[in-house]
Amino acid sequence: MASLRSLRAQGIVNTLARNSIRPSPCTAFSKLSPASQIQARYKSGPYGYTQAKSLVFSEYGEPKDVLKLHTHSISPTLPSSSVLLRTLAAPINPADVNTIQGTYGAKPSFSSLLGTAEPSVIPGNEGVFEVISSSSPTIGKGDWVIPKKTQFGTWRTHALTPADTVIRVEKDGLNPLQAGTVSVNPCSAYRMLRDYVTDPPLREGDWFLQNGANSGVGRAAIQLGKLWGYRSINVVRARDSPEATQKLKDELAALGATHVVTEDEFLAREFKDQLAEWTRGSREGVRLGLNCVGGKSAQAIAKSLGAGGTMVTYGGMARQPVSLPTGLLIFKDIRFVGFWLSRWADRDPRSKEQTVAEILDLVRQGKFRDVPVAEVPWTWDTELDTLKEAVQGTLQGFRSGKGVFVFKDT
């Protein structure tokens, strides 16, 4: 076997046999089923090599301009304590698009390991895989796993990686979409609700306020908050018609939202009185604000917090700075902090494993509802343009759901 080589690029693997992955001349999906009904699929090339395809980019730019579809082969000989995986589902998150654009906070490492003409990166931080071969004593064939840390590179049909770079999840009672979308949005909501209000922590009956409430994180926060007895005020963008806006409000209320308002209603002068009426009887008012928008919306959240409250910023969809009145810091002792999922996940993989397990248990019990998704079928014959279009559209306007690559016959 060839000597082992360190692979830091793209977070794909740490060590692999150099001849485990090689270029190949070879060059979407039915309704998802529970784990017990997932059909086997396997593209085998000459001498048992697994044929694989990966989306890659070798320079920063818009996805439609820089993404390429690379075909390669994976050796049937596995290094010690490694797993050969096939992808079941891989979401398209805004952070993935920002990484391709070169605007994300963490820059990936470029590598030629897959045999690309230029050093490249496989995008994708989230997904679920099925083990099709294993040399690990702790993970077996047929198990489902998710990446342990970020920059794993999930937008590909297959992967070969050390067993200690993935987390095994109990697949019983789950489908690939549920397992594949658990580690970013639900985990973000969970940690922000649990970790940033202290002395005392959020208690039953306490209030939190969030913008971007229809996002994946927003929907998760609504549901978790309801389960834990918190009350929520949720801000959304108005839709094209009053009927569509009311439909969205009703949908979030059904998830557990206490109140839902539009951005215009939230920014109106009258909202201050409305907020006082809603939170009357609560000594501390709104204790936590979750901001993923920035600009005027973030400032309005800060002004809505009670004395000693905390605003957590985890996104900036408006691409406008957060401008805060000095008086909030001096006279109301408001705290302003940031949350970056990548930092938490990479620093504390054990906490990530526990958080994922708890959320998936809620899913099995029917207490946590899937985020709406827009499935993007990925088969062996799926064209590059189809995949690029799905990625490029992630940040554009209102969408029916979170884009997710769903794999079959690859």
Side-chain angles (χ1 to χ4, degrees), residues 57-292:
F57 66 97
S58 56
E59 61 181 331
Y60 295 121
E62 291 302 313
K64 63 182 177 62
D65 299 324
V66 300
L67 283 179
K68 301 174 183 177
L69 192 58
H70 177 67
T71 304
H72 57 96
S73 299
I74 303 176
S75 169
T77 304
L78 271 58
S80 176
S81 296
S82 297
V83 286
L84 176 59
L85 312 173
R86 63 185 177 198
T87 318
L88 299 176
I92 307 167
N93 289 301
D96 300 323
V97 179
N98 294 151
T99 298
I100 297 168
Q101 294 169 330
T103 60
Y104 195 58
K107 297 296 190 287
S109 299
F110 290 75
S111 169
S112 297
L113 182 75
L114 295 182
T116 52
E118 300 175 284
S120 300
V121 175
I122 301 176
N125 284 309
E126 187 179 28
V128 61
F129 302 83
E130 182 179 18
V131 178
I132 56 177
S133 184
S134 173
S135 59
S136 166
T138 58
I139 299 177
K141 181 179 180 180
D143 285 346
W144 284 10
V145 297
I146 63 173
K148 181 175 289 187
K149 295 186 177 183
T150 57
Q151 295 190 14
F152 186 87
T154 59
W155 295 359
R156 47 174 157 176
T157 62
H158 299 79
L160 175 60
T161 185
D164 62 3
T165 64
V166 294
I167 297 171
R168 181 180 176 274
V169 297
E170 293 292 342
K171 63 184 180 182
D172 291 345
L174 301 174
N175 64 46
L177 286 178
Q178 293 167 329
T181 58
V182 68
S183 60
V184 172
N185 294 331
C187 284
S188 295
Y190 186 110
R191 300 273 42 116
M192 288 191 290
L193 289 174
R194 286 297 205 200
D195 296 346
Y196 286 90
V197 177
T198 57
D199 196 26
L202 285 178
R203 302 155 298 188
E204 187 172 350
D206 282 346
W207 288 90
F208 73 92
L209 187 158
Q210 63 171 342
N211 55 26
N214 188 44
S215 66
V217 174
R219 284 171 172 261
I222 289 171
Q223 295 181 77
L224 293 173
K226 179 68 173 179
L227 287 170
W228 297 334
Y230 309 156
R231 292 179 286 184
S232 63
I233 300 167
N234 303 274
V235 184
V236 298
R237 290 180 294 173
R239 272 25 190 182
D240 294 335
S241 68
E243 293 78 17
T245 299
Q246 188 59 49
K247 181 180 179 181
L248 175 59
K249 288 183 175 183
D250 293 343
E251 186 178 342
L252 297 185
L255 290 178
T258 311
H259 301 290
V260 184
V261 297
T262 66
E263 279 280 357
D264 290 339
E265 292 168 340
F266 179 51
L267 297 176
R269 183 174 300 177
E270 298 78 23
F271 182 77
K272 181 179 180 181
D273 294 333
Q274 180 68 81
L275 178 64
E277 180 181 337
W278 285 340
T279 60
R280 185 175 293 123
S282 174
R283 176 188 300 179
E284 294 145 325
V286 178
R287 299 190 64 202
L288 175 66
L290 305 180
N291 165 51
C292 68

Side-chain angles (χ1 to χ4, degrees), residues 12 24 50 78 173 252 259 314 322 332 345 391:
I12 305 171
S24 167
T50 298
L78 271 58
L252 297 185
H259 301 290
Y314 67 98
V322 177
K332 293 186 69 176
V391 177

